[in-house]
Amino acid sequence: MRYSVKIRQLLFAVFIFGMLLFNQPILGIFNNGTIAGIPNLLFYIFLIWGIIILVMALITLINPTKTKKN
Amino acid sequence: MLQEWLILAVSFIYISILFFIAYYGDKRADEGRSIISNPYFYALSLAVYCSAWTFYGSVGHAANTGLSFLTIYIGPTLMAPLWWVILRKMIRISKRHHITSIADFISSRYGKSTVLGGTVTVIAVMGIVPYISLQLKAISSSYLIISHYPDTLAYTLPQHIPVIQDTAFYVTVVLALFAILFGTRNTDATERHEGLVAAIAFESVVKLLAFLLVGVFVTYTLFNGFSDIFAKALNDGRFTTMFNESADTEKGSWFGLILISMFAILFLPRQFQLAVVENVDEDHIRKAIWLFPLYLLIINIFVVPIAMGGLIHFQTEAVDADTFVLTLPLAVKQTGIALVVFIGGLSAATGMVVVASVALSTMVSNDLLMPILLGSRYVKANREQDLRGFLLLIRRGTIIIVLFLGYFYYKLVGSHYSLVNIGLISFAAVAQFAPSFLGGMFWKGGTRYGALSGLLSGFFTWGYTLAIPSLVSAGILPESLITEGFLGLAILKPTALFGLTGLDPIMHALFWSLLFNTGSYFIVSIFVKPSAIELSQATLFVDINKYSPEFEHRSLGRGTAPVAELRLLLRRFIGEKKSERLFKAYARKNDIDLESITQADSGMINLVEKRLSGVIGSASARIMISSLVKEKPVSLDEVMHILDETQQIVAYSHELERKSSELQEATRKLKKANEKLKTMDQFKDDFIATITHELRTPLTSVRAFSEILYDNPEIDVLQRQNFLGIIIKETERLTRLINQILDLQKIESQEMEWHFNTLNIAGLIKEAIEGMQKLFEEKNIKVSFNPDHHIMVKADRDRLLQVILNLLSNAFKFCNDADGEIVISMSIESSNLVVSIQDNGIGINEADQKIIFEKFRQAKTSSKTQRHAGSGLGLSIARQIIEAHNGKIWVESKTGEGAVFKFTLPNPVLKEQEIQK
Amino acid sequence: MKKILIVDDEPNIVISLEFLMAQNGYYVRIARSGEEALELVPAFMPDLILLDVMLPFRNGFEVCQNIRARKELSDIKIIMLTAKGREADIERGKAAGADSYVIKPFSTKELVAKVRELLNEE
């Protein structure tokens, strides 16, 4: 049961961070310029998006064997 | 050249494949060998979220307004982590209560209310019909473009096509057929539609691959990769503000769009259908949490490049950006790619339409029509009639009605709006479910009237601020309504309600509707008392994990009903076979003889009601059951009492579970402690054995020589002196050993008295050297110690001297015999005094460097040397003393290159005065 | 003249043993470690070895086993000397193939008697 609480808390943290990272004022930082020919804002959004997916994948890997029992 | 027959043939083949997959999926499900029961199918089926809006509309939106289209996919990505709690609970509640739609969920939660179920159904239909029409529009316009190629790409939909020539009409018919075949095979809506889900998952793959194909084609064939497109786009003055979201955020719409799409992923009827009703195993959520956002990310990678590519390629040509995906390949005569894109768009649109129409038809039949029809004289009069056919007829009829409502909306309004705008109007409608749905799931205080007033106020505001303006711009309602306001009142202008301006229409509508909705939900809930059934449902929903299904069946009884009547009732809706199976299972479980009893207990009544809920919705099921049951009026107190009791039972069993796991934990700890004790015991055993050895060794010499001298009085004087000398030395060794053991014991048991004084460390070292001077000279060892400064430290003088002497005698013992050299130095490093004593002896190998500070451990040294005299306690004591001074002691060495023993003492004070040399 | 090898790393014990054995008419040689003992044994071919257990690197048990594993050395008698008097140690010594086991500190008379007995004198 404890691992489930841990996953829940970590995922909630992902939600909060995602909300902050995908909104103003952070987005405003990337309004101009390009990275590797790609506009900053576009690059930033896809980067954060990918990171969030990766983090969620890692979090949900926590102790997958025990789930059947609960 | 694309012949019309070719397009039709390919479309026909594609649709046939879908039919085959759905048929195969159903067949496998019937055989009990499900193909969709894995998280990958689950995540793919959720991707029904990406409809034609995504496939065609995202590019259009990106070309017209920049990056805000991404919010529609960021929202669900951010909701995904919350699925762990929210979606899981939705699934649990729905499975337990046989809930088959959002309308049923809300109705059941607030006391199985028919009015609420009907309201939710009406909102859902009004909200989703435009969305369905959007898909039909996408299919027919893409068909027109691809079939008119190469005439013109800037093809706009003709305003009036006769129905008989309209592609959208035929598409609607085919989709209705598909939805009927695979969405209404069975009357029991809780039985999953596995074939349907398999087909949807397949469509998700097709649309993704098609979109990636056109994306790669545009990016790498029309242009030279991402940077080329963006370089050209940024050179073109038109696009500079496109990668800049400030314009959107000023109106608050960026955040608003994220919020609205977070609700959409939960409450769109098609999402609820696939995520909750069709869910096979709630643990599939675990993988879907990241797989589904990953799908969204991948399908969005090429949206902006295609949008930019289209704008650059067509320049001023009047080509609708919504069609770029299709028109870009056509513009360079890539008809093959265009055909694939057309199929991709077809899959995106059909997936949405089929699932949405099945979901809506369940709602309309169970929560809108059933409560009315079941009360009708016809149904009541024919008590024995099997109603399954009747039910299916209604379901199938509703599918056709819903689809053709979409078709007519498309004919009426569809051509005036872009894909995205229609989609957002639907999103705003389903967002109205959020307060009463989420509130109902997590807050027991929400009541029927609260939910009803919230839904109605939100819905009316939505209709007034969004639906009416859309009808105005379609020319159905007069323009003056927008410009002057309802009844000419400026304060009631639909797009600037109460004078609120500066928001875009969607955000404006969302703000007001959610404000009224949430506000009245909470206020009315707080002020209007709930009825007994509302209260019990509230508790059963919110505390779903605290009740086990068996307790629910038994405890929430409301009197009795004739068994025969119940059997008859259930048989009418699920057929004789299934009905009898259910009754027999219940009888077996509860030790009841079905044939002998006449009155059903509350458990049986509840079971029948639940089962019936899955078929006709919870509100209708309750109506049917109520007509049979002689209900005892149940007071609020009684309900609470019953709920408390069952909760206690469950709590008790939870407690037992907890206790037993605690017991296990304790056993485990005990075992561990026992093992530790065992190793400690082993350690003590070794310790005693070593001490014994160390004591017996000198004793052996003492005894042996004493006996020799005793037995041989004639021994010569020189030898006698020699032997006596050995006896004395060995006795001293014994004394020293005993003292060391006592020292160690004192320090370890913390009985040692420490006398800390400020000492001149250089003086102390000199004193130690002087004490051993004679030994050094005997062995011809060079000792050098040349400090520059006096350094003062706080330490116990005698103990520290003991340490230094021990280290010196160690160095002495291990020094080379021929040219022994000991170098002592001191320094201050990061506010610690470091004293080092270096010898040029045999050195200590790495493995031994740590253990020599342990009790009775001597380095094994190198092969040719023998064991060195000494108890093996000296360094251990030195370490204890230095650690008592908050210092550290260690050795640095390599075998054969001598050893440097170092220890630190904290807080040294450097005296400015230099030492005279 | 029978030959005895003394193997011990405690210099004073070696001196006492050497004196005792020489006094009783044995020819004595000394090894201060297990290695040294194993090198010496085939060349010296002692009749009896007084073998300490706690030796650096190769303890007495190993040395004893090593000697017992070689057929040509099977006639050599071995007395193990140990300052550890635990039952387990004695068992181990016997298992390693020692003829006798003497606990330190020992009675010089008894030790001499045991040596004689093993060498079949008296």
Side-chain angles (χ1 to χ4, degrees):
Chain A
M1 211 58 191
R2 216 171 302 144
Y3 79 95
S4 171
V5 173
K6 189 167 189 178
I7 293 180
R8 190 202 309 160
Q9 287 166 344
L10 287 173
L11 287 174
F12 191 73
V14 170
F15 166 70
I16 295 292
F17 274 106
M19 267 298 188
L20 294 173
L21 292 173
F22 277 136
N23 276 296
Q24 280 289 17
I26 288 183
L27 292 185
I29 300 173
F30 301 94
N31 269 346
N32 299 302
T34 58
I35 299 170
I38 295 164
N40 273 349
L41 186 63
L42 194 67
F43 188 86
Y44 167 79
I45 288 177
F46 275 90
L47 181 73
I48 296 297
W49 201 347
I51 291 173
I52 283 181
I53 291 168
L54 188 71
V55 169
M56 291 195 291
L58 292 177
I59 290 174
T60 51
L61 277 182
I62 294 177
N63 221 343
T65 47
K66 277 196 185 168
T67 49
K68 294 289 173 203
K69 281 185 198 163
N70 289 299
Chain B
M1 267 304 197
L2 273 175
Q3 301 292 328
E4 210 162 335
W5 66 264
L6 179 66
I7 304 164
L8 286 175
V10 171
S11 310
F12 180 77
I13 291 169
Y14 176 71
I15 300 282
S16 308
I17 292 173
L18 278 191
F19 272 84
F20 173 75
I21 291 174
Y23 170 75
Y24 182 68
D26 276 338
K27 192 169 152 263
R28 287 285 293 258
D30 291 342
E31 292 166 359
R33 296 185 301 147
S34 169
I35 50 167
I36 64 153
S37 180
N38 66 64
Y40 304 100
F41 266 87
Y42 184 64
L44 277 176
S45 73
L46 293 181
V48 76
Y49 183 72
C50 300
S51 63
W53 171 6
T54 304
F55 199 85
Y56 293 111
S58 282
V59 169
H61 195 191
N64 294 327
T65 50
L67 296 186
S68 64
F69 78 93
L70 284 171
T71 54
I72 305 303
Y73 309 95
I74 290 172
T77 302
L78 291 178
M79 180 51 89
L82 302 185
W83 280 354
W84 188 265
V85 173
I86 296 178
L87 184 57
R88 196 178 288 265
K89 195 166 185 182
M90 281 164 76
I91 292 173
R92 269 189 202 167
I93 292 173
S94 300
K95 298 266 140 99
R96 184 79 62 81
H97 293 261
H98 293 260
I99 283 165
T100 54
S101 69
I102 291 184
D104 210 19
F105 192 102
I106 291 179
S107 145
S108 176
R109 159 63 181 83
Y110 297 100
K112 305 177 184 176
S113 154
T114 31
V115 178
L116 256 182
T119 308
V120 172
T121 303
V122 170
I123 296 175
V125 171
M126 303 270 284
I128 300 307
V129 161
Y131 205 156
I132 291 176
S133 80
L134 177 154
Q135 312 299 321
L136 299 176
K137 173 185 170 179
I139 295 173
S140 59
S141 55
S142 62
Y143 177 76
L144 284 174
I145 286 167
I146 196 168
S147 60
H148 282 72
Y149 169 82
D151 286 354
T152 171
L153 296 173
Y155 193 87
T156 46
L157 285 178
Q159 287 293 329
H160 299 288
I161 318 172
V163 170
I164 206 76
Q165 291 170 23
D166 191 355
T167 350
F169 174 77
Y170 296 105
V171 169
T172 312
V173 172
V174 174
L175 291 182
L177 188 67
F178 188 85
I180 285 170
L181 271 179
F182 297 102
T184 60
R185 286 177 72 220
N186 211 305
T187 48
D188 190 348
T190 44
E191 274 179 21
R192 292 187 310 270
H193 311 99
E194 298 217 349
L196 184 70
V197 176
I200 295 304
F202 173 71
E203 296 213 282
S204 292
V205 175
V206 171
K207 69 195 175 199
L208 181 65
L209 292 181
F211 199 85
L212 289 180
L213 174 72
V214 68
V216 170
F217 168 72
V218 170
T219 313
Y220 291 101
T221 310
L222 285 187
F223 295 86
N224 290 319
F226 289 99
S227 46
D228 180 43
I229 291 187
F230 289 117
K232 283 179 178 145
L234 291 169
N235 279 337
D236 195 320
R238 287 181 296 166
F239 311 138
T240 43
T241 55
M242 199 149 280
F243 304 110
N244 184 317
E245 43 63 71
S246 60
D248 280 324
T249 48
E250 267 168 23
K251 290 180 280 177
S253 68
W254 182 276
F255 173 76
L257 287 170
I258 289 183
L259 190 72
I260 202 177
S261 40
M262 283 177 69
F263 289 146
I265 198 67
L266 287 183
F267 303 131
L268 277 171
R270 68 178 190 277
Q271 297 303 139
F272 187 90
Q273 181 77 32
L274 289 173
V276 179
V277 182
E278 308 288 352
N279 174 278
V280 183
D281 177 352
E282 71 176 36
D283 204 50
H284 290 168
I285 294 174
R286 181 188 287 271
K287 275 217 169 60
I289 278 179
W290 61 273
L291 275 177
F292 176 62
L294 183 65
Y295 185 99
L296 296 183
L297 183 142
I298 293 172
I299 206 167
N300 273 295
I301 288 175
F302 289 107
V303 170
V304 177
I306 296 172
M308 296 299 106
L311 289 175
I312 296 165
H313 190 88
F314 293 117
Q315 288 295 331
T316 50
E317 278 180 71
V319 178
D320 185 356
D322 276 350
T323 65
F324 279 173
V325 189
L326 199 57
T327 47
L328 269 176
L330 284 178
V332 290
K333 303 189 167 49
Q334 287 291 337
T335 49
I337 290 177
L339 198 56
V340 173
V341 169
F342 173 73
I343 294 299
L346 188 66
S347 71
T350 52
M352 182 275 163
V353 172
V354 168
V355 183
S357 63
V358 169
L360 284 180
S361 92
T362 310
M363 277 196 226
V364 171
S365 71
N366 283 6
D367 293 277
L368 205 63
L369 299 180
M370 274 300 148
I372 301 167
L373 292 173
L374 293 179
S376 75
R377 230 173 279 156
Y378 172 75
V379 173
K380 278 184 180 164
N382 301 283
R383 291 170 45 110
E384 308 249 332
Q385 186 195 25
D386 189 331
L387 288 174
R388 283 180 295 169
F390 176 65
L391 253 172
L392 279 181
L393 194 68
I394 290 179
R395 287 266 168 79
R396 289 168 182 171
T398 342
I399 285 181
I400 293 170
I401 292 168
V402 166
L403 278 177
F404 277 89
L405 275 178
Y407 175 71
F408 288 119
Y409 187 90
Y410 151 72
K411 295 297 274 183
L412 207 64
V413 193
S415 49
H416 298 271
Y417 269 91
S418 76
L419 299 179
V420 167
N421 279 333
I422 298 179
L424 284 178
I425 290 173
S426 293
F427 273 29
V430 296
Q432 304 309 322
F433 300 145
S436 31
F437 195 103
L438 293 176
M441 229 172 27
F442 294 102
W443 182 48
K444 280 182 237 176
T447 66
R448 177 188 308 180
Y449 288 108
L452 191 62
S453 55
L455 282 170
L456 285 178
S457 60
F459 176 56
F460 277 122
T461 317
W462 170 83
Y464 191 71
T465 53
L466 270 186
I468 286 183
S470 83
L471 291 178
V472 170
S473 62
I476 294 164
L477 291 173
E479 189 83 16
S480 64
L481 208 61
I482 299 277
T483 52
E484 287 158 36
F486 184 57
L487 302 174
L489 291 169
I491 208 164
L492 293 181
K493 279 186 195 169
T495 52
L497 201 61
F498 306 123
L500 181 71
T501 54
L503 289 176
D504 75 33
I506 302 279
M507 286 309 116
H508 172 265
L510 193 69
F511 173 76
W512 283 122
S513 60
L514 281 183
L515 181 73
F516 291 140
N517 186 336
T518 314
S520 46
Y521 171 66
F522 280 107
I523 290 167
V524 175
S525 287
I526 288 166
F527 286 104
V528 180
K529 281 213 161 170
S531 65
I533 184 169
E534 280 178 75
L535 208 61
S536 72
Q537 287 299 98
T539 317
L540 291 178
F541 269 55
V542 176
D543 295 335
I544 180 83
N545 293 323
K546 289 192 193 160
Y547 296 96
S548 70
E550 293 85 36
F551 289 130
E552 265 169 56
H553 282 318
R554 217 146 297 149
S555 56
L556 286 174
R558 306 177 305 267
T560 59
V563 177
E565 296 274 328
L566 276 178
R567 289 168 93 167
L568 192 66
L569 176 65
L570 197 57
R571 192 179 305 163
R572 293 175 78 187
F573 288 97
I574 67 172
E576 183 158 3
K577 231 169 43 193
K578 283 183 187 171
S579 162
E580 286 310 296
R581 209 186 301 147
L582 190 79
F583 276 102
K584 285 201 177 111
Y586 181 82
R588 212 178 311 120
K589 214 169 153 195
N590 294 283
D591 256 345
I592 297 171
D593 182 8
L594 264 185
E595 306 310 318
S596 65
I597 58 161
T598 52
Q599 292 293 310
D601 60 2
S602 51
M604 192 186 284
I605 297 172
N606 274 315
L607 186 70
V608 172
E609 182 175 340
K610 283 252 167 71
R611 193 69 184 76
L612 222 45
S613 299
V615 185
I616 55 175
S618 51
S620 316
R622 185 171 157 71
I623 293 175
M624 298 307 286
I625 292 286
S626 301
S627 67
L628 295 180
V629 176
K630 281 201 201 92
E631 238 178 307
K632 285 183 290 188
V634 187
S635 75
L636 262 182
D637 283 348
E638 274 175 279
V639 170
M640 287 325 290
H641 181 71
I642 294 166
L643 286 173
D644 266 359
E645 245 172 28
T646 50
Q647 205 172 339
Q648 269 163 15
I649 296 171
V650 178
Y652 179 69
S653 76
H654 277 307
E655 180 74 1
L656 269 182
E657 228 168 75
R658 200 173 56 80
K659 277 268 162 62
S660 91
S661 78
E662 267 173 14
L663 202 66
Q664 263 176 15
E665 176 73 10
T667 316
R668 200 183 55 77
K669 276 186 183 158
L670 209 63
K671 256 187 196 159
K672 219 175 156 186
N674 205 16
E675 258 154 43
K676 205 177 164 189
L677 267 178
K678 264 190 204 157
T679 57
M680 275 173 73
D681 219 39
Q682 175 68 36
F683 187 75
K684 209 181 93 190
D685 207 34
D686 288 347
F687 181 79
I688 288 173
T690 319
I691 280 195
T692 315
H693 180 264
E694 293 303 321
L695 288 172
R696 277 179 172 170
T697 303
L699 262 180
T700 308
S701 300
V702 171
R703 181 169 182 186
F705 284 112
S706 305
E707 286 186 15
I708 290 169
L709 288 172
Y710 183 83
D711 292 340
N712 301 287
E714 74 291 348
I715 222 166
D716 71 74
V717 180
L718 213 68
Q719 202 156 25
R720 179 192 306 259
Q721 283 304 98
N722 189 12
F723 288 175
L724 284 172
I726 292 175
I727 294 177
I728 293 167
K729 259 194 201 152
E730 292 292 338
T731 331
E732 281 170 357
R733 180 173 161 192
L734 268 175
T735 316
R736 206 165 53 238
L737 183 68
I738 290 166
N739 284 339
Q740 281 180 334
I741 292 171
L742 288 178
D743 273 357
L744 199 64
Q745 192 270 335
K746 257 192 199 169
I747 299 174
E748 285 194 336
S749 60
Q750 296 177 344
E751 281 168 11
M752 179 76 100
E753 278 178 38
W754 299 93
H755 305 280
F756 285 97
N757 287 304
T758 307
L759 304 173
N760 185 335
I761 191 80
L764 200 69
I765 294 172
K766 276 184 181 159
E767 195 186 323
I769 296 171
E770 272 159 27
M772 291 182 69
Q773 197 67 38
K774 236 178 137 189
L775 285 171
F776 291 137
E777 278 168 11
E778 264 173 30
K779 213 176 161 189
N780 210 7
I781 288 171
K782 223 170 78 189
V783 179
S784 54
F785 175 55
N786 299 307
D788 297 328
H789 287 89
H790 289 290
I791 297 174
M792 313 299 287
V793 286
K794 266 212 143 152
D796 183 312
R797 191 180 179 286
D798 291 347
R799 298 297 163 201
L800 199 55
L801 189 62
Q802 191 182 345
V803 172
I804 298 168
L805 278 172
N806 180 275
L807 293 178
L808 278 177
S809 66
N810 257 347
F812 168 78
K813 268 185 261 175
F814 290 96
C815 257
N816 277 354
D817 288 339
D819 51 349
E821 193 178 0
I822 298 173
V823 181
I824 304 154
S825 63
M826 57 184 210
S827 61
I828 294 183
E829 282 166 29
S830 55
S831 73
N832 278 314
L833 167 73
V834 181
V835 175
S836 68
I837 295 169
Q838 185 177 5
D839 64 61
N840 62 345
I842 47 172
I844 300 166
N845 71 40
E846 225 165 288
D848 284 338
Q849 285 178 21
K850 273 183 196 147
I851 65 164
I852 53 170
F853 292 100
E854 288 167 25
K855 274 172 256 176
F856 295 113
R857 301 294 283 271
Q858 291 182 325
K860 286 177 175 163
T861 61
S862 67
S863 60
K864 65 173 189 178
T865 43
Q866 59 195 56
R867 241 161 61 101
H868 291 267
S871 61
L873 279 176
L875 282 174
S876 174
I877 292 171
R879 190 188 73 180
Q880 303 265 14
I881 292 171
I882 293 297
E883 281 175 359
H885 284 77
N886 292 321
K888 275 196 305 194
I889 185 165
W890 70 97
V891 63
E892 295 166 2
S893 174
K894 271 185 190 162
T895 315
E897 292 174 22
V900 192
F901 280 85
K902 290 185 174 183
F903 66 85
T904 65
L905 291 172
N907 306 321
V909 180
L910 188 71
K911 269 202 172 172
E912 285 307 312
Q913 171 204 358
E914 281 194 21
I915 293 176
Q916 302 296 318
K917 285 178 184 165
Chain C
M1 206 182 194
K2 301 253 165 131
K3 293 179 285 185
I4 291 182
L5 178 65
I6 297 171
V7 189
D8 202 327
D9 66 330
E10 277 288 334
N12 291 335
I13 293 177
V14 170
I15 294 172
S16 67
L17 287 173
E18 191 182 8
F19 181 89
L20 271 176
M21 294 303 128
Q23 196 190 31
N24 283 283
Y26 297 109
Y27 180 57
V28 180
R29 291 211 44 186
I30 312 241
R32 295 184 189 282
S33 71
E35 293 285 308
E36 210 182 324
L38 287 174
E39 274 170 34
L40 256 173
V41 169
F44 181 53
M45 286 305 282
D47 298 287
L48 184 142
I49 302 175
L50 287 172
L51 182 57
D52 183 33
V53 172
M54 289 282 281
L55 292 167
F57 302 110
R58 277 187 174 206
N59 64 32
F61 299 130
E62 283 175 62
V63 174
C64 187
Q65 264 170 339
N66 221 308
I67 292 171
R68 283 289 175 251
R70 289 152 78 170
K71 238 190 181 158
E72 69 273 18
L73 305 178
S74 60
D75 289 339
I76 299 174
K77 307 284 180 192
I78 297 177
I79 299 179
M80 298 211 75
L81 299 173
T82 182
K84 283 186 177 177
R86 290 186 293 192
E87 285 294 315
D89 294 317
I90 297 172
E91 289 301 314
R92 221 180 135 192
K94 293 258 167 75
D99 296 290
S100 187
Y101 204 92
V102 173
I103 293 168
K104 292 176 178 175
F106 46 81
S107 152
T108 47
K109 287 196 186 83
E110 277 171 28
L111 181 68
V112 171
K114 195 157 267 177
V115 170
R116 283 184 190 283
E117 181 196 324
L118 280 175
L119 292 176
N120 287 324
E121 301 164 344
E122 283 155 54

